[in-house]
Amino acid sequence: MKTAINIELDIQYLKNLNNDICDITDDEFNKFADKNGVVCDYDTFAFTAAESDKVIGVIRGHSYYSEVHIGDLIVLEKYRGRGIGTKLLEAVESFFAGKGFDIITLSTYEFQAPEFYRKHGYKIEYVRVNKKNHKLTKYFLLKHI
């Protein structure tokens, strides 16, 4: 049985992560996976779309274990509807294809882009209905690669 150790802690909220915090996360994910006979290979990624050196779209996330997870896909409002989001999504799919990953996962809200992802072959794995505001119903999607 483990015994609690009395330690005085200083818990802080960090709005921006520095390299030391990212290194701790990466190192500990990988060490724990190794200890359990699993390859973690935790890594963050971002792809940008630019026009005349101005970033107009970003897709970012992380890869780990056998999964690629997209956290954010943003295209500046005045550039939407021009296929930029599609190009960014395809860049992620192309980059990770054939590199040992099984699936790409992501989540999106009703008011955002569930149909965009479905149009690109993503399947709904789960829907968490928001009973107070249907626009905040959350879709969890995946695509096998």
Side-chain angles (χ1 to χ4, degrees):
M1 181 163 109
K2 290 189 175 183
T3 306
I5 300 172
N6 291 330
I7 306 172
E8 188 171 324
L9 295 175
D10 179 20
I11 307 291
Q12 298 177 12
Y13 167 77
L14 301 175
K15 187 169 181 148
N16 298 308
L17 302 181
N18 62 37
N19 287 339
D20 291 340
I21 299 300
C22 292
D23 289 346
I24 289 169
T25 303
D26 295 349
D27 291 346
E28 290 302 315
F29 257 114
N30 286 309
K31 282 194 303 190
F32 193 72
D34 288 345
K35 183 178 176 180
N36 287 280
V38 177
V39 175
C40 178
D41 200 20
Y42 187 91
D43 200 13
T44 57
F45 67 85
F47 292 86
T48 60
E51 181 180 72
S52 302
D53 295 329
K54 177 184 178 185
V55 173
I56 59 173
V58 177
I59 191 168
R60 63 185 184 159
H62 56 269
S63 58
Y64 59 143
Y65 307 112
S66 62
E67 175 180 337
V68 175
H69 180 76
I70 295 171
D72 301 297
L73 171 56
I74 303 293
V75 175
L76 297 181
E77 187 172 7
K78 75 179 202 174
Y79 294 94
R80 292 179 191 158
R82 300 183 188 180
I84 297 164
T86 296
K87 295 282 188 200
L88 288 165
L89 190 60
E90 289 171 348
V92 171
E93 293 172 359
S94 176
F95 181 83
F96 287 103
K99 293 187 177 173
F101 297 96
D102 298 328
I103 59 174
I104 298 176
T105 63
L106 58 93
S107 63
T108 190
Y109 291 98
E110 176 69 38
F111 79 97
Q112 291 176 320
E115 290 308 313
F116 168 81
Y117 293 110
R118 289 181 67 189
K119 181 175 83 172
H120 288 89
Y122 287 76
K123 305 291 182 208
I124 294 174
E125 183 175 31
Y126 178 76
V127 178
R128 186 174 60 219
V129 175
N130 186 306
K131 294 179 182 178
K132 291 182 180 178
N133 184 346
H134 78 281
K135 291 180 181 180
L136 297 178
T137 291
K138 191 170 186 177
Y139 293 78
F140 297 81
L141 297 104
L142 65 83
K143 182 176 186 178
H144 292 275
I145 56 174

